[in-house]
Amino acid sequence: MFAKSNHLFNGSKNLLKRFASTNATVPTYKLVVIGGGTGGLAVSSTLSKILGQNEIAIIEPSDVHYYQPLWTFVGAGVKTLADSAKPTEELIPKDAYWIKNKVAKVQPDNKLIELTDGQKIGYDYLVVATGLECHWNKIRGLPETLGKDGVTSNYSTDTVETTWKFIREFKGGNAIFTMPSTPIKCPGAAIKVAYLAEDTFTKNRVRNKSNVIYNSAMGKIFSIDKYAKSLERVAKERGIEVNLGTELKEIRSQQKEAVFDCKGTEKVFNYDLLHVTPPMGPPSFIGESGLGNKQGYVDVDKYTLQHVKYPNIFSLGDSSSAPTSKTAAAISVQSGVLKKNLLDAMTGIFDPHTAAKYDGYASCPLLVGRDKLILAEFSGYTGLPLETFPIDQGQERSFMYWLTKEVIPEIYWNGLLKGTWTGPQRFRNFFSYLP
Ligand code: FAD
């Protein structure tokens, strides 16, 4: 029998073996975090310090971590893809153990994780933070066209820089921007790229021979009325055509045609530039492991972020069922709530009635030009604004643009991922005391 602190290094698999007394063949951790993206790192940074060395394992297959919100700026030529990237190795907290691998399945009743190479990992507590996957193949003709002949997307590291190439080289014609009917990472990102492209066309003097068209499968331009009004106003002022209830289904690249379903009727648009925001969904292992709701998101209580069936499992971020906008901003507040409730569960004092509760906070910096931004902050649970600054945030401002481009990335790398930034509540309180 091995003591809990006994470790062996398995060089071939790059897996530090940890033998718990309960199971001598399966490395077992006090806490396993699936996904070393925004949510996974935000919680494991703090918890690894509290729980001690190698009590936490993070299962994450990628070598590179991207600050994805920067991709809107990359697609507009303001930042580079390299600006958004850091090696995962640098970001894994020093007290946590990184298992560079992918989860195939969880057996929640046995507290076991199966990796894609067949290895098994045990856990006492589990956090699932696996984000969303892009379903490129759900649009006919898209996988073979993406990145070529005017078809691009800010949602892939392979094409986000191509977006800027196509925008800056655009000579006129139809520039179409799409939004699917599924939840996506940052719902505002699908339209921000349209405003930024329109701004560039104006600067490049091709605007008068261009049609800028935003085709969204949704019934509203933005889910929160206050910001929807602002976005509609700006679209009107700038002559951007907005078609709601219009979902991209197929790309016929030979003819440069994009086929949309418009409330049951097929509508074909010719395009010269087509920016696609693809349908997205959580990784399928969540549903296959019995952890998902009907849509396959980790089924958690939307306030406490604890799994509805398994009290030793928590989830945050894009792959959780919390019904709010899927943003890094939402994760900041969720991470504070999750850490508190998980630690209480570990020490046996978790009580759902007195537990920390997530209020649905999310934020979306809505770029409407190369120096103008509407900072939407709201609760996805109430549908009402939840703003930090004592000014009308429905108004586009250069200060908000600068904040989002220069300050928020610093907060991301040095605050959120290090576990010290849990949202702007303190600032909101401070500003609320000002006369
Ligand atoms: P991720 O950060 O995506 O991490 C999930 C991790 O899980 C990944 O590293 C992945 O490799 C890993 N994983 C997946 N499957 C498995 C598996 N089977 N086993 C092990 N690991 C697995 N948010 C904002 O707040 N503001 C913005 O302005 C904004 N703009 C955006 C613009 C764009 C173009 C994009 C793409 C996103 C934007 N976001 C924005 C959204 C934000 O980036 C995400 O909401 C956030 O990163 C989600 O964090 P997460 O931890 O849930 O998922």
Side-chain angles (χ1 to χ4, degrees):
M1 203 67 77
F2 292 90
K4 268 217 156 190
S5 59
N6 227 345
H7 299 114
L8 290 176
F9 183 66
N10 177 341
S12 64
K13 305 279 189 202
N14 190 21
L15 180 64
L16 187 70
K17 296 238 174 200
R18 173 170 224 289
F19 295 95
S21 52
T22 46
N23 189 338
T25 57
V26 176
T28 298
Y29 295 83
K30 178 89 182 154
L31 172 66
V32 173
V33 177
I34 308 179
T38 312
L41 290 175
V43 295
S44 46
S45 293
T46 313
L47 295 175
S48 61
K49 278 190 207 130
I50 295 171
L51 297 177
Q53 213 179 10
N54 289 327
E55 293 289 348
I56 295 190
I58 302 170
I59 306 176
E60 167 57 57
S62 312
D63 284 316
V64 182
H65 177 104
Y66 289 98
Y67 172 51
Q68 300 169 58
L70 211 68
W71 293 352
T72 299
F73 289 96
V74 177
V78 179
K79 298 272 182 182
T80 65
L81 181 61
D83 291 335
S84 72
K86 283 196 182 177
T88 303
E89 200 173 11
E90 277 181 21
L91 302 170
I92 297 283
K94 73 171 174 35
D95 290 326
Y97 185 69
W98 177 19
I99 297 174
K100 190 174 173 313
N101 214 313
K102 213 172 167 187
V103 171
K105 204 165 179 186
V106 179
Q107 298 176 21
D109 293 315
N110 301 323
K111 299 186 191 171
L112 269 186
I113 294 165
E114 296 170 28
L115 303 178
T116 45
D117 64 3
Q119 293 184 80
K120 290 197 170 67
I121 305 289
Y123 62 84
D124 295 336
Y125 291 86
L126 179 68
V127 170
V128 184
T130 44
L132 288 179
E133 291 175 347
C134 290
H135 295 157
W136 305 101
N137 55 7
K138 289 209 172 155
I139 294 169
R140 220 171 309 133
L142 177 59
E144 51 274 35
T145 321
L146 190 63
K148 290 187 289 216
D149 300 328
V151 180
T152 188
S153 179
N154 279 354
Y155 279 90
S156 165
T157 49
D158 293 336
T159 55
V160 60
E161 290 185 309
T162 312
T163 301
W164 175 232
K165 175 178 157 55
F166 289 166
I167 288 175
R168 74 171 186 266
E169 292 176 357
F170 190 68
K171 298 282 182 281
N174 284 350
I176 303 176
F177 301 84
T178 74
M179 164 84 182
S181 55
T182 62
I184 63 162
K185 306 174 189 215
C186 190
I191 194 167
K192 297 185 228 184
V193 56
Y195 290 110
L196 287 160
E198 193 277 338
D199 196 344
T200 305
F201 301 158
T202 304
K203 288 197 172 73
N204 290 351
R205 300 174 193 276
V206 293
R207 180 67 181 99
N208 57 358
K209 40 182 178 168
S210 313
N211 298 309
V212 181
I213 302 164
Y214 178 61
N215 283 351
S216 167
M218 310 307 281
K220 290 165 94 173
I221 196 168
F222 196 75
S223 59
I224 309 298
D225 289 340
K226 171 171 179 169
Y227 309 111
K229 279 192 193 125
S230 304
L231 289 177
E232 279 162 6
R233 171 180 53 75
V234 178
K236 209 166 165 198
E237 284 166 9
R238 308 254 294 272
I240 297 174
E241 178 182 327
V242 177
N243 301 307
L244 301 176
T246 303
E247 181 157 30
L248 181 64
K249 292 290 172 191
E250 183 181 354
I251 298 170
R252 299 175 188 148
S253 57
Q254 296 288 323
Q255 298 97 310
K256 288 205 137 187
E257 287 176 350
V259 184
F260 289 82
D261 174 63
C262 184
K263 296 162 196 147
T265 308
E266 183 179 287
K267 251 184 141 177
V268 179
F269 288 70
N270 291 100
Y271 66 82
D272 298 282
L273 191 161
L274 179 64
H275 179 276
V276 180
T277 298
M280 298 179 201
S284 57
F285 83 84
I286 294 169
E288 289 157 10
S289 305
L291 296 177
N293 67 4
K294 272 196 191 129
Q295 292 74 36
Y297 297 95
V298 186
D299 203 359
V300 292
D301 177 278
K302 70 177 187 175
Y303 298 113
T304 64
L305 308 179
Q306 186 183 46
H307 197 273
V308 294
K309 188 167 169 208
Y310 299 100
N312 63 332
I313 299 180
F314 288 76
S315 177
L316 80 169
D318 294 358
S319 57
S320 99
S321 64
T324 193
S325 287
K326 299 196 177 294
T327 58
I331 289 173
S332 66
V333 179
Q334 291 172 3
S335 64
V337 169
L338 190 152
K339 285 183 278 195
K340 160 92 174 59
N341 290 342
L342 177 57
L343 284 170
D344 282 357
M346 284 176 168
T347 46
I349 58 166
F350 178 80
D351 174 351
H353 300 106
T354 54
K357 296 201 170 58
Y358 171 54
D359 59 4
Y361 174 83
S363 170
C364 197
L366 298 163
L367 286 120
V368 291
R370 292 176 78 84
D371 61 352
K372 290 266 181 299
L373 189 145
I374 295 163
L375 187 60
E377 284 185 287
F378 51 91
S379 162
Y381 294 174
T382 63
L384 297 172
L386 204 53
E387 298 181 344
T388 302
F389 298 95
I391 47 173
D392 177 12
Q393 291 185 208
Q395 197 59 43
E396 55 273 36
R397 293 172 197 277
S398 303
F399 167 71
M400 297 301 187
Y401 180 89
W402 171 80
L403 189 79
T404 303
K405 179 166 146 287
E406 306 297 346
V407 180
I408 296 181
E410 290 307 311
I411 294 177
Y412 181 85
W413 295 115
N414 299 313
L416 180 56
L417 295 194
K418 304 273 188 242
T420 54
W421 173 258
T422 54
Q425 180 68 47
R426 269 174 296 165
F427 291 92
R428 205 180 302 135
N429 293 345
F430 170 77
F431 287 127
S432 72
Y433 289 120
L434 294 181

